[in-house]
Amino acid sequence: MDTSFFLAWIKEAASAVQAERDHLTQLDAAIGDADHGANLDRGFAAVRQTLADTPPQTPGGVLVQAGSALIRKVGGASGPLYGTAFRQMGRALGDAPEITPADLVTALEAAQEGVQKLGGAAEGDKTLVDAFAPAVRALAQAVRDGAKLEDALETATAAAQEGAQATVPLQARKGRASYLGPRSVGHEDPGAASTALIFAALRRAAGQA
Amino acid sequence: MKKLINSVDAIVTDTLRGVAAAHPSLRVDFENRVIYRRNAPHQGKVGLVSGGGAGHEPLHGGFVGYGMLDAACPGEVFTSPVPDQMIEASKGVDGGAGVLHIVKNYTGDVLNFEMAAELCADEGIEVASVLVNDDVAVQDSLYTAGRRGTGATLFVEKIAGALAETGAPLAEVARLAQEVNERSRSFGVALSAGTVPAAGKPTFDLSDTEIELGIGIHGEPGRTRTTHREAREIARLAMDAVNDDVPLSGDTLVLLNGMGGTPLLELYIMYGEVAAYLEEKGARAVRCLVGNYVTSLDMQGFSVSVCRLTDELTRLWDAPVETPGLRWAADRPHG
């Protein structure tokens, strides 16, 4: 995976967020404040802009620059959280020009650690971690088993989607939805839903490579 | 949805244009989205910075001015501002005595201010932060993001702002801000939800016979829903929640706050009930504000915030203030 692979990922993620903008906002209206889709869409638009204006030369550079733009533009909790995820990934990749599947796993593990440290959420708190963590675990396992990258990412995407769906019966313990207490049960967490979109975008980027 | 807007995407920019046009005492940085006192920074004075999502006006921009905030950064509607805004604001108000960040306890605000404080430290700006978490509706803080910052934010901004004007050092201003927060409790009730322009419809539905208890200020539903009832009983529900958390006594400062879509007529009815409740508990409202100060767009409803006063807090509350949203002079102490 080279720089253009990661640029393709970001582009796919931005398109997916744009296409699902209203759906994400609806999920957020149920248990949050009805702005998740709009905020992420604005953030990814800014990411595409900065990547077009000053194209980074390495995979790590793409991700750090994308993360910084998300932190600068999104606001709310999702800006710092997704921004930190991309920045930690980018930092973990350093300035390597070519990334192996094992590197990708390490980078995603660093991203997950960064998100959990910042937000303080564990699995089961009904946050994006509920999609992120199983996806990273599934990817790590598939890569260890020697799966093809596309197949490994297919598995990871499925795990993210299942993880997002599995937030429906949970009661939120972090973020704005936690104020609803038991009334947060019965709704999919919007952050978990957007995380599943971002993993699906990664899978599509691999299909193009 | 009917709103007086040009477009959904231009709401914050257009609001800032209006603020700049209306208030020559303020300076608006449109690029970074920061509202400053015109002459910021003030040398030797602790700079006070706050910020939060738009939609709570006059909070925070309307409280920028002498005796209160030095700068405010508005985010998108109900969305925390971003660290870049907070860093720019902190630089712009640092008069060498450091900067106090006043942060409402909402996950987004906390995370963005945390990142900003770290980056400010990298640039050599001394920053202290106070977290406002006065909302008693959030009961089990262990299993939530903790109590929310609501109406008491105004108390913190006013009282810490007054102390900062005296030239008090950062640690002292931060300590007092913390004390105001600890002495304050709030509870909110909605009759109907507000409409976030980007969503186009109310964030939750309440029938004509229902009210929502324990709401925050971002259009999120509260903890419980109950049947609508007369003002006296609703006041009692809210004040019982406050009083159960910290028994009310002595001299208090009360904010009877409208959520944006409630006539002043009704707010005064509620204030009358709240004042009677306090009297019944052997407490007194010696200072008060009644009006729309910490709003939630066009939500119908109110919140009540009570701060148990000390002589020092009363004196600083009475100190002169000159902002678009709050203003009084020294020789006419408020209340």
Side-chain angles (χ1 to χ4, degrees):
Chain A
M1 287 163 274
D2 57 7
T3 303
S4 62
F5 172 91
F6 287 92
L7 286 170
W9 176 25
I10 299 292
K11 196 168 156 233
E12 286 291 336
S15 306
V17 165
Q18 193 173 32
E20 293 295 314
R21 173 187 163 124
D22 291 346
H23 176 60
L24 291 174
T25 291
Q26 277 163 18
L27 292 177
D28 196 24
I31 55 171
D33 58 351
D35 64 6
H36 189 54
N39 289 346
L40 266 196
D41 188 27
R42 189 177 64 249
F44 272 101
V47 168
R48 289 174 76 161
Q49 187 67 48
T50 167
L51 293 177
D53 291 348
T54 45
Q57 301 306 311
T58 60
V62 171
L63 298 174
V64 168
Q65 200 170 316
S68 301
L70 290 175
I71 289 174
R72 282 204 304 272
K73 292 293 177 192
V74 177
S78 52
L81 291 170
Y82 277 125
T84 296
F86 281 106
R87 281 174 59 87
Q88 292 298 337
M89 268 192 94
R91 281 185 189 167
L93 296 178
D95 50 15
E98 186 68 34
I99 304 305
T100 67
D103 296 337
L104 183 66
V105 170
T106 309
L108 281 166
E109 285 169 346
Q112 186 191 328
E113 195 188 325
V115 165
Q116 290 193 259
K117 193 170 159 222
L118 184 65
E123 277 184 84
D125 284 348
K126 198 177 182 106
T127 71
L128 68 88
V129 174
D130 290 328
F132 208 113
V136 174
R137 265 199 308 276
L139 183 68
Q141 186 61 48
V143 168
R144 268 199 303 278
D145 293 347
K148 267 173 52 193
L149 179 65
E150 276 182 70
D151 296 339
L153 286 171
E154 187 70 47
T155 313
T157 300
Q161 286 162 348
E162 276 168 36
Q165 278 304 316
T167 62
V168 172
L170 296 178
Q171 176 170 334
R173 288 193 296 241
K174 288 284 176 213
R176 206 168 278 175
S178 68
Y179 299 125
L180 292 170
R183 293 165 78 190
S184 63
V185 170
H187 302 279
E188 183 180 355
D189 178 68
S194 56
T195 292
L197 289 180
I198 292 169
F199 272 95
L202 185 56
R203 160 70 187 83
R204 284 197 299 279
Q208 295 163 13
Chain B
M1 175 183 70
K2 270 197 283 188
K3 298 263 184 196
L4 298 171
I5 60 176
N6 294 313
S7 80
V8 165
D9 292 332
I11 286 175
V12 177
T13 309
D14 288 353
T15 302
L16 286 174
R17 265 179 55 217
V19 167
H23 303 293
S25 64
L26 303 178
R27 176 164 57 82
V28 176
D29 174 347
F30 289 95
E31 197 193 328
N32 293 299
R33 291 192 170 178
V34 182
I35 299 171
Y36 293 101
R37 280 169 71 171
R38 191 184 54 219
N39 299 321
H42 292 80
Q43 287 310 313
K45 186 185 100 65
V46 169
L48 268 63
V49 172
S50 193
H56 307 307
E57 292 71 20
L59 188 83
H60 298 274
F63 299 142
V64 174
Y66 178 82
M68 225 162 157
L69 297 176
D70 293 274
C73 354
E76 292 293 324
V77 173
F78 289 172
T79 300
S80 162
V82 296
D84 278 6
Q85 288 172 274
M86 300 158 181
I87 296 162
E88 200 59 34
S90 303
K91 282 187 203 162
V93 305
D94 183 23
V99 177
L100 180 68
H101 288 175
I102 299 171
V103 186
K104 300 190 298 303
N105 190 29
Y106 276 96
T107 306
D109 296 75
V110 172
L111 294 183
N112 285 283
F113 267 105
E114 237 171 59
M115 300 204 131
E118 270 183 44
L119 294 168
C120 282
D122 290 351
E123 301 204 17
I125 302 172
E126 194 187 354
V127 172
S129 301
V130 59
L131 200 61
V132 183
N133 57 351
D134 52 310
D135 174 24
V136 300
V138 180
Q139 284 154 344
D140 44 0
S141 296
L142 259 185
Y143 298 105
T144 65
R147 290 184 163 182
R148 299 170 285 206
T150 60
T153 314
L154 182 153
F155 298 161
V156 172
E157 292 177 358
K158 167 66 186 83
I159 292 172
L163 183 65
E165 293 296 346
T166 68
L170 179 59
E172 182 60 21
V173 178
R175 186 203 60 74
L176 187 85
Q178 189 57 49
E179 184 186 339
V180 174
N181 177 55
E182 281 162 12
R183 290 181 156 276
S184 303
R185 297 291 188 277
S186 301
F187 192 87
V189 177
L191 308 187
S192 73
T195 297
V196 177
K201 54 181 199 279
T203 47
F204 57 89
D205 292 314
L206 279 174
S207 75
D208 278 354
T209 58
E210 291 174 316
I211 58 173
E212 186 87 14
L213 298 181
I215 47 139
I217 56 173
H218 294 91
E220 67 271 38
R223 283 191 77 87
T224 51
R225 192 164 286 192
T226 186
T227 49
H228 187 39
R229 53 198 77 187
E230 63 185 31
R232 184 172 299 120
E233 287 180 46
I234 295 175
R236 182 163 293 281
L237 284 173
M239 291 302 286
D240 276 347
V242 170
N243 188 58
D244 287 350
D245 198 72
V246 172
L248 295 163
S249 64
D251 288 354
T252 64
L253 159 63
V254 177
L255 166 63
L256 198 296
N257 175 59
M259 302 308 293
T262 303
L264 211 46
L265 180 88
E266 293 171 38
L267 296 182
Y268 272 104
I269 291 175
M270 293 309 293
Y271 183 73
E273 299 301 339
V274 164
Y277 181 99
L278 283 166
E279 204 166 313
E280 179 192 312
K281 297 288 173 193
R284 275 201 316 153
V286 295
R287 299 289 185 275
C288 77
L289 286 176
V290 180
N292 294 291
Y293 291 97
V294 182
T295 59
S296 188
L297 293 171
D298 51 354
M299 176 184 267
Q300 260 188 301
F302 76 101
S303 66
V304 58
S305 301
V306 183
C307 176
R308 290 166 301 134
L309 289 167
T310 62
D311 289 346
E312 183 191 26
L313 297 189
T314 307
R315 185 169 47 75
L316 290 166
W317 178 259
D318 286 342
V321 60
E322 181 71 39
T323 70
L326 210 60
R327 57 177 67 197
W328 53 78
D331 57 345
R332 289 183 284 118
H334 191 73

